[in-house]
Amino acid sequence: MLVVENTYISDDVIENFFVCDLEKCKGACCVEGHLGAPLEEEELPKIEAVYEKVKPYLTPEAIEVIDKEGLYIKDHEGDYSTSTINDQECVFAYYDDKGFLKCGIETAYLNGEIDFIKPISCHLYPIRITKLDIEEALNYHRWQICSPACGHGKALGVPLYKFLKTPLVRRYGEDWYKKLEQQVADREAGK
């Protein structure tokens, strides 16, 4: 494990290779599971603020669920997540013309319509954040649907932490990421 400031980074985040392979998984992480994307409390007003710009990208089923249940739910542990369609598909997911799942929030962002790219939990996936007291732990969430990404990353020689540099910098800052890179380099030099 590495420690950068108040963040504990699992060895799996450093040692495993990963590059999303949408040709193979088709964005299944937006559908699989029983809850939507985990949300941080400070993201809730951001999602509310961008909804009208995102709405044109959503399916009629998603809009119906949002009208009934809202943009997000609060579970029995007090955590928030995006609403889902039939306890599966995130309400912000839609299929493109190739049959790949895409994020309506991210699409609106990429089209220059909003300034919020997507929830940090989605941007960082397959890294999951566990909040401790004042620290956070970053762990690699292994899932069968991401197996093609592991092979793709290995073939390209891209470790998970490098693949997710942009969201890691978004979350923790450029200085934090440089410290992570230095610790990885020091570890490699010590082997």
Side-chain angles (χ1 to χ4, degrees):
M1 173 187 337
L2 296 178
V3 180
V4 179
E5 297 171 4
N6 290 331
T7 312
Y8 297 93
I9 302 106
S10 162
D11 289 340
D12 286 344
V13 170
I14 307 306
E15 297 169 359
N16 285 278
F17 295 97
F18 194 96
V19 173
C20 284
D21 192 346
L22 285 176
E23 292 291 328
K24 295 204 171 107
C25 75
K26 311 264 192 259
C29 59
C30 295
V31 174
E32 300 292 330
H34 299 291
L35 288 173
L39 298 172
E40 299 196 357
E41 203 161 338
E42 60 268 16
E43 291 177 317
L44 304 181
K46 293 176 185 178
I47 289 173
E48 291 168 4
V50 301
Y51 176 60
E52 288 304 318
K53 298 276 187 182
V54 172
K55 191 174 180 179
Y57 299 102
L58 305 183
T59 65
E61 295 84 11
I63 294 167
E64 185 179 328
V65 168
I66 291 168
D67 288 345
K68 287 181 185 172
E69 299 175 17
L71 295 165
Y72 47 83
I73 60 163
K74 187 175 186 178
D75 68 20
H76 63 281
E77 294 177 1
D79 297 321
Y80 293 94
S81 64
T82 59
S83 295
T84 59
I85 300 169
N86 298 322
D87 294 326
Q88 290 185 326
E89 184 175 323
C90 173
V91 291
F92 295 105
Y94 71 93
Y95 288 93
D96 70 6
D97 57 356
K98 293 181 181 178
F100 296 174
L101 278 159
K102 298 283 180 89
C103 174
I105 298 171
E106 185 175 23
T107 300
Y109 172 84
L110 294 173
N111 288 338
E113 299 170 59
I114 60 174
D115 61 1
F116 177 65
I117 186 167
K118 58 182 163 182
I120 193 67
S121 67
C122 299
H123 207 185
L124 278 172
Y125 195 78
I127 291 177
R128 284 292 188 219
I129 298 171
T130 303
K131 294 187 187 264
L132 308 168
D133 289 327
I134 60 167
E135 302 90 8
E136 292 184 341
L138 304 183
N139 294 293
Y140 170 35
H141 179 243
R142 282 181 167 68
W143 204 5
Q144 183 60 33
I145 63 171
C146 290
S147 293
C150 298
H152 192 50
K154 189 169 188 174
L156 296 173
V158 179
L160 178 58
Y161 78 96
K162 285 188 179 181
F163 174 68
L164 294 176
K165 178 180 179 178
T166 298
L168 285 168
V169 168
R170 172 186 167 197
R171 175 70 177 200
Y172 300 106
E174 191 71 45
D175 288 341
W176 180 94
Y177 191 82
K178 286 178 184 173
K179 289 175 188 175
L180 173 62
E181 287 181 311
Q182 186 59 56
Q183 285 196 32
V184 172
D186 291 349
R187 176 191 276 189
E188 291 298 316
K191 282 188 176 179

